[in-house]
Structures are given as C-alpha cells and as structure tokens.
C-alpha cells in the first residue's frame, strides 16, 4: 500500500470494467472517481460496488439545480456510500448547503463532503469572457471558491493554473485538480494539461487522473510512475 494523492477517474464503458481496474489498482491510489458516463449508464449503484473495495469514492455528478433537487440527489449519493459529491459552485450558497445536508443525512453521519466545481477546464478565457464579460478564469474561480468556502463545503475542483487563487481565498479547503499528464507523456492534444509535479507545486491535495493510467499498456506501472513523480515534488 502506498500513500497516494491520485483519485482514479474510472471513465470506462461498464461498471464491471470499472470495478475490475479499481480492484487491480486499489493499493496504488487514494480513491476512485465516477462520472456521468457510468452514472447515466450502469447507474449510481456503481458507487456502492466501488465503495465495497474500501477506498473513498468521488461521485462527479456536477449537480446544478434548485436546492431541494440537489439535496434529494445528494442524499441518494450519500446512501450509496460515496465520500465526495461534486456540485457546481455557481449554483449558489443555498444549493451548496443543501448538497452538504443531503450527503450528510444520506451517509448517516459518516465522513462525507461536497466538492464545488469552479470553472470547467474545458472553458477557454474567451468562453469565460462571453459568459461574464470583463472576467477571466482566475477571477471567476476566485469568486466561486469564496462562495464555496462561505457555504461550508469541504473542497474545490479547479484547473492547475487556478490552484494558487483557491489557496489564497480558501486556504482551508481541499483542492482537487484534473487535466494531469505525466511528464513523459505526449501532451499534444491537451493544451491546458499539467504534470503531476506542477499540480503538487501549485498546492493540489488530490490529482484526478484517468486515461494516463486506465488506458496504459501497464496500468500498475503507470500509476507507480505518477506516484513517484508526486512524491518527488512533495519532497522538493
Ligand atoms: O484525461 P483524464 O482521463 O485523466 O481525465 C480524468 C478526469 O478529469 C475526467 O473524468 C474529467 O472529469 C477530468 N478532466 C478535466 N479536464 C481535462 C481533462 C480531464 O476536468 N482537461
């Protein structure tokens, strides 16, 4: 068993494949993330199957609806044994508080929390400018992270470039970041990606990593290499 900061994104076609690779890698990662593909296909019971493996499960549903709807959904997610659930910070304080309440009541008092998604890493500065003229991804992340902190949620999801902004406005929150590509990997199609070492240097607590591990010829070797890169950056 190694101490890892990796939340393994299980973006696989079936629950069986997700559980199989999760079993294989459970001693090398900090937890498992399931996203909309599995939630809308095999369904939320996949959460329970993963939770039985014994590591934290991060349900990346990115909820954004009226507070009562989000609370009801969060309660279900808590009942399935998830450790974290994502909601969009732009849903507002009352919605984030409702999500927190739902997860806690669903989990029956267990150790669970909400992660607030700030600005999707797929958005370019031009997209942000169209949605909110005069602002930038950094400024928007700053505002949303502060709103998330005020709502009492546990953590924030943001891109690597915005990690510093989150640390400034919400230093006590857990920082989770995706878009990670190992130093040795071809980054040609990932304009906004960062290496594990860069993510750690900028203050990430957890790194969401999927295909660099799940699509590797040898996933165990791939995850070990990323853990080493993270450990090297943490020491430095
Ligand atoms: O690319 P990879 O397979 O490592 O993606 C893992 C997760 O990170 C995805 O499930 C997605 O939610 C998120 N991601 C992201 N921004 C990117 C790439 C991936 O938010 N640029």
């Amino acid at each position: 068993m190694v101490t890892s900061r990796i939340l393994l994104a299980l973006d696989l076609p079936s629950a069986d494949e997700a559980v199989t690779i999760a079993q294989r890698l459970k001693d090398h990662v900090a937890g498992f993330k399931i996203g909309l593909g599995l939630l809308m296909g095999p369904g939320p019971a996949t959460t329970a199957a993963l939770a039985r493996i014994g590591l934290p499960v991060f349900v990346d549903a990115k909820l954004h609806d009226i507070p009562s709807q989000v609370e009801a959904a969060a309660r279900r997610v808590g009942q399935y044994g998830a450790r974290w659930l994502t909601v969009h910070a732009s849903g507002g304080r009352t919605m984030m508080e409702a999500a927190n309440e739902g997860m806690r009541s669903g989990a029956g008092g267990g150790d669970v929390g909400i992660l607030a998604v700030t600005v999707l890493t797929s958005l370019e500065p031009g997209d942000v400018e169209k949605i909110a003229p005069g602002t930038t991804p950094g400024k928007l992340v700053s505002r949303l992270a502060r709103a998330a902190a005020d709502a009492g949620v546990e953590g924030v999801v943001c891109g690597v470039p915005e990690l510093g902004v989150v640390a400034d406005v919400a230093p006590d929150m857990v920082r989770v970041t995706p878009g990670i590509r190992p130093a040795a990997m071809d980054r040609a199609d990932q304009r906004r990606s960062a290496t594990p070492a860069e993510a750690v240097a900028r203050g990430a607590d957890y790194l969401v990593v999927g295909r660099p591990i799940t699509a590797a010829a040898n996933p165990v070797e791939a995850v070990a290499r990323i853990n080493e890169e993270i450990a090297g950056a943490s020491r430095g």
Side-chain angles (χ1 to χ4, degrees):
M1 179 89 75
V2 296
T3 307
S4 176
R5 295 186 195 224
I6 297 174
L7 297 176
L8 181 67
L10 297 166
D11 297 321
L12 294 154
S14 71
D16 279 353
E17 286 162 274
V19 170
T20 300
I21 195 150
Q23 286 280 12
R24 193 168 167 208
L25 297 175
K26 68 180 185 332
D27 294 334
H28 305 273
V29 298
F32 306 116
K33 178 179 98 84
I34 68 170
L36 293 174
L38 283 179
L39 290 170
M40 297 295 172
T46 315
T47 304
L50 290 169
R52 279 194 290 274
I53 295 174
L55 290 185
V57 180
F58 165 11
V59 172
D60 192 13
K62 294 190 178 72
L63 299 176
H64 189 167
D65 201 342
I66 59 171
S68 62
Q69 283 291 308
V70 169
E71 182 171 352
R75 186 173 300 113
R76 294 287 192 184
V77 171
Q79 285 167 350
Y80 277 116
R83 169 66 182 81
W84 291 291
L85 166 68
T86 50
V87 303
H88 276 282
S90 55
R93 178 175 181 153
T94 312
M95 191 204 76
M96 287 188 271
E97 288 172 346
N100 233 345
E101 182 51 40
M103 268 293 268
R104 287 195 185 139
S105 75
D111 191 15
V112 295
I114 297 297
L115 302 175
V117 175
T118 54
V119 175
L120 294 174
T121 57
S122 52
L123 294 180
E124 299 283 350
D127 299 315
V128 172
E129 169 69 30
K130 274 184 203 142
I131 299 165
T135 197
T136 62
K139 282 187 197 160
L140 195 49
V141 167
S142 167
R143 253 180 255 148
L144 291 168
R146 198 184 295 268
D150 290 347
V153 307
E154 186 177 356
V156 162
V157 182
C158 68
V160 172
E162 283 79 49
L163 280 165
V165 166
V166 175
D168 285 347
V169 300
D172 298 332
M173 295 182 95
V174 171
R175 292 182 290 271
V176 178
T177 194
I180 304 298
R181 289 292 172 271
M185 198 167 171
D186 178 14
R187 296 162 84 183
D189 68 333
Q190 285 280 343
R191 272 174 298 155
R192 297 192 66 207
S193 65
T195 64
E198 285 164 348
V200 170
R202 285 176 180 262
D205 294 302
Y206 290 105
L207 284 62
V208 174
V209 189
R211 290 162 297 177
I213 297 168
T214 56
N218 185 335
V220 172
E221 227 173 74
V223 75
R225 227 177 300 121
I226 299 174
N227 278 330
E228 275 165 30
E229 215 176 312
I230 292 170
S234 306
R235 281 193 298 272

